[in-house]
């Protein structure tokens, strides 16, 4: 069982800096958070923890916010059990319900059923909500789709449920890959699930690419996404704070990707781009 470190961050002012700090902590290995009245609790595997990396974060170098922190190694915990105890159903625009098997079904809503293990992307995070929200308005019928950094594969499952012909789901984390396979079975959909990164894409091509990751990986991988995206195809991005958009758009414009829609939830953004015909 993987050992974790719990970091308590006291933040003043709390907003918008708690969201900004969470976004930055994800880039250095933190994978889950709990909000407190005066800040946040962040969790990171012991193997990834490096206190010196805090000095590289914008939030720790801004005169607009004061952050103090303490940390301690956690005792062995059954994280799956903890997720189950704290996992509530998620509603997106009263159209989509993301729930676990132990929640009550709602036949009036489009349902996605997942087992809430230690994978990012249960739907509780604003970026996952934003992705589903944008996907509601997109046409997936007969399309080839890539869910990059798939987590629980909630986005891949939704794409398949919306009529996608072929859906590929890729994540660097072995736990996410196994959880995605289980969730595909739960929702009775067929996904091509693999462990890896954008480097694994090869010559495969797609009509739609979904990438809810973080700014650093997106900036690195957008040129690859553009190469494997069909002309006229769509790239839907999230995992971004509002202050990341300028840097992301610079890379997108350099790779012939045109912004056609964006949405914001709290401090988080999603961007819908189209590959221009040239």
């Amino acid at each position: 069982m993987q050992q974790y470190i719990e970091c308590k961050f006291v933040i003043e002012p709390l907003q918008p800096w708690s969201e900004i700090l969470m976004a930055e902590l994800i880039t250095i290995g933190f994978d889950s958070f709990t909000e407190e009245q005066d800040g946040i609790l962040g969790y990171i595997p012991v193997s990834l923890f490096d206190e010196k990396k805090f000095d590289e974060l914008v939030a720790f170098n801004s005169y607009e916010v004061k952050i103090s922190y303490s940390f301690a190694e956690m005792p062995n915990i059954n994280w799956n059990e903890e997720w189950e105890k704290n996992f509530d159903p998620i509603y997106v625009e009263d159209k989509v319900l993301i729930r676990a098997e132990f929640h009550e079904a709602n036949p009036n809503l489009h349902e996605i059923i997942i087992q809430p293990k230690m994978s990012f992307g249960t739907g509780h995070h604003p970026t996952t909500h934003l992705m589903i929200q944008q996907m509601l308005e997109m046409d997936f019928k007969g399309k080839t789709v890539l869910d990059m950094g798939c987590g629980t594969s909630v986005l891949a499952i939704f794409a398949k449920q919306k009529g996608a012909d072929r859906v590929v789901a890729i994540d660097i984390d072995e736990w996410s890959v196994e959880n995605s396979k289980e969730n595909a079975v739960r929702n009775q959909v067929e996904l091509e699930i693999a462990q890896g990164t954008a480097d694994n894409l090869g010559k495969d091509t797609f009509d739609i690419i979904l990438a809810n990751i973080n700014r650093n990986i997106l900036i690195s991988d957008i040129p690859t996404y553009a190469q494997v995206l069909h002309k006229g195809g769509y790239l839907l991005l999230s995992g971004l704070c509002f202050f990341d958009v300028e840097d992301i758009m610079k890379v997108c414009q350099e790779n012939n990707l045109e912004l056609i829609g964006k949405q914001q939830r709290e401090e988080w953004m999603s961007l819908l781009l189209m590959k221009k015909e040239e």
Side-chain angles (χ1 to χ4, degrees):
M1 189 175 293
Q2 188 158 231
Q3 289 290 107
Y4 268 72
I5 285 178
E6 178 186 75
C7 292
K8 178 176 175 61
F9 300 93
V10 177
I11 307 166
E12 186 181 357
L14 190 59
Q15 297 299 339
W17 288 98
S18 64
E19 293 287 347
I20 293 171
L21 180 59
M22 280 191 283
E24 292 199 293
L25 290 172
I26 288 170
T27 69
I28 61 172
F30 283 76
D31 59 24
S32 55
F33 302 95
T34 300
E35 295 188 54
E36 303 263 285
Q37 286 189 340
D38 59 352
I40 58 174
L41 297 175
Y43 299 91
I44 182 171
V46 171
S47 60
L48 297 179
F49 182 68
D50 182 357
E51 188 181 359
K52 294 178 182 177
K53 290 185 178 180
F54 291 163
D55 295 334
E56 303 170 7
L57 305 182
V58 171
F60 277 85
N61 291 282
S62 173
Y63 66 87
E64 297 179 6
V65 61
K66 180 180 178 182
I67 301 174
S68 60
Y69 66 90
S70 59
F71 59 88
E73 190 167 327
M74 298 288 289
N76 282 331
I77 292 174
N78 186 332
W79 285 97
N80 291 344
E81 187 177 302
E82 292 299 307
W83 275 76
E84 287 195 10
K85 286 194 299 187
N86 295 289
F87 181 74
D88 295 322
I90 306 111
Y91 296 86
V92 181
E93 291 195 349
D94 293 325
K95 295 178 181 178
V96 177
L97 170 61
I98 304 171
R99 67 174 181 86
E101 291 174 315
F102 50 81
H103 293 136
E104 185 177 350
N106 187 330
N108 297 317
L109 298 177
H110 184 110
E111 291 192 334
I112 304 171
I113 303 170
I114 65 170
Q115 177 67 19
K117 291 190 175 181
M118 268 183 56
S119 307
F120 184 78
T122 60
H124 288 91
H125 196 276
T127 59
T128 311
H129 192 286
L130 283 168
M131 295 287 283
I132 294 285
Q133 195 174 13
Q134 292 240 52
M135 289 172 69
L136 279 167
E137 307 302 321
M138 297 171 65
D139 180 14
F140 285 86
K141 290 182 180 178
K143 300 292 196 295
T144 55
V145 179
L146 168 67
D147 181 4
M148 196 70 226
C150 60
T152 59
S153 277
V154 63
L155 303 180
I157 290 166
F158 190 42
K160 192 69 176 179
Q161 290 173 336
K162 289 201 70 183
D165 180 48
R166 174 177 177 244
V167 180
V168 176
I170 297 177
D171 200 288
I172 197 170
D173 181 63
E174 182 181 358
W175 193 296
S176 292
V177 170
E178 292 307 311
N179 190 213
S180 291
K181 292 176 180 178
E182 295 168 0
N183 289 332
V185 172
R186 283 186 181 89
N187 291 271
Q188 300 180 338
V189 298
E190 184 177 336
L191 305 177
E192 298 176 32
I193 302 165
Q195 184 176 358
T197 67
D199 294 335
N200 295 74
L201 294 177
K203 297 181 179 180
D204 225 345
T205 57
F206 302 91
D207 300 308
I208 299 172
I209 298 176
L210 312 169
N212 182 20
I213 313 180
N214 67 62
R215 70 175 300 278
N216 291 344
I217 294 177
L218 291 176
I219 287 173
S220 173
D221 288 353
I222 281 171
T224 302
Y225 300 156
Q227 287 178 2
V228 301
L229 186 63
H230 296 155
K231 291 180 181 178
Y234 296 97
L235 173 62
L236 179 58
L237 304 176
S238 197
L240 313 168
C241 271
F242 65 90
F243 55 78
D244 296 320
V245 172
E246 184 177 348
D247 291 337
I248 293 292
M249 283 307 306
K250 182 176 184 296
V251 180
C252 288
Q253 289 162 359
E254 290 170 354
N255 288 275
N256 206 33
L257 296 165
E258 179 182 8
L259 181 66
I260 60 173
K262 62 181 178 179
Q263 292 192 19
Q264 183 167 355
R265 185 177 176 86
E266 300 168 9
E267 310 304 322
W268 301 89
M269 302 288 298
S270 63
L271 305 176
L272 179 61
L273 304 114
M274 183 178 70
K275 185 173 179 179
K276 292 185 285 188
E277 296 285 353
E278 297 182 3

